[in-house]
Amino acid sequence: MLAFIGVLFWLSTIIQNIAVGFPNGWAVVPVGIVLGGAHVAISWLTTRHNRRAVAAMWFVFVSDSLLAIFVDFLAVVLVIFTIVLLLLARTSSARKWFSSPHS
């Protein structure tokens, strides 16, 4: 569910930047595609019980942290969501779930 929020965020950000015509609107498109795609990867890998989902979460965490530091501090909200995902992935039930075979 949290990965879906990230996809919606990037989709709306891309649409807003193109529609409003910000000078850097087109620069947002590749960043949004990469990070939105990473959120899709998190969701897709998680449903397949693939531990690579955690690596995708770390990629999003680092990327969103860089956005918060260098571009817009409001991206810290995305960082918080990613921290929640990473903490949830560390629970014993999540570790058992990742180790169970995909059905």
Side-chain angles (χ1 to χ4, degrees):
M1 179 64 177
L2 290 176
F4 182 68
I5 292 169
V7 171
L8 285 177
F9 170 82
W10 282 110
L11 185 60
S12 66
T13 301
I14 290 170
I15 291 169
Q16 176 188 6
N17 276 280
I18 291 172
V20 174
F22 290 161
N24 62 347
W26 290 104
V28 172
V29 173
V31 172
I33 290 172
V34 169
L35 288 174
H39 285 85
V40 170
I42 291 168
S43 181
W44 184 77
L45 291 167
T46 301
T47 59
R48 283 154 183 74
H49 299 237
N50 191 324
R51 290 186 184 267
R52 290 181 189 166
V54 177
M57 290 177 208
W58 279 105
F59 173 78
V60 169
F61 173 75
V62 170
S63 301
D64 288 346
S65 297
L66 291 172
L67 280 172
I69 293 168
F70 295 112
V71 180
D72 187 353
F73 185 73
L74 292 177
V76 77
V77 173
L78 299 173
V79 174
I80 292 168
F81 279 137
T82 308
I83 290 170
V84 170
L85 282 174
L86 287 166
L87 289 173
L88 290 173
R90 296 288 304 150
T91 63
S92 61
S93 61
R95 288 193 303 271
K96 288 177 189 174
W97 189 83
F98 274 120
S99 65
S100 69
H102 177 266
S103 48

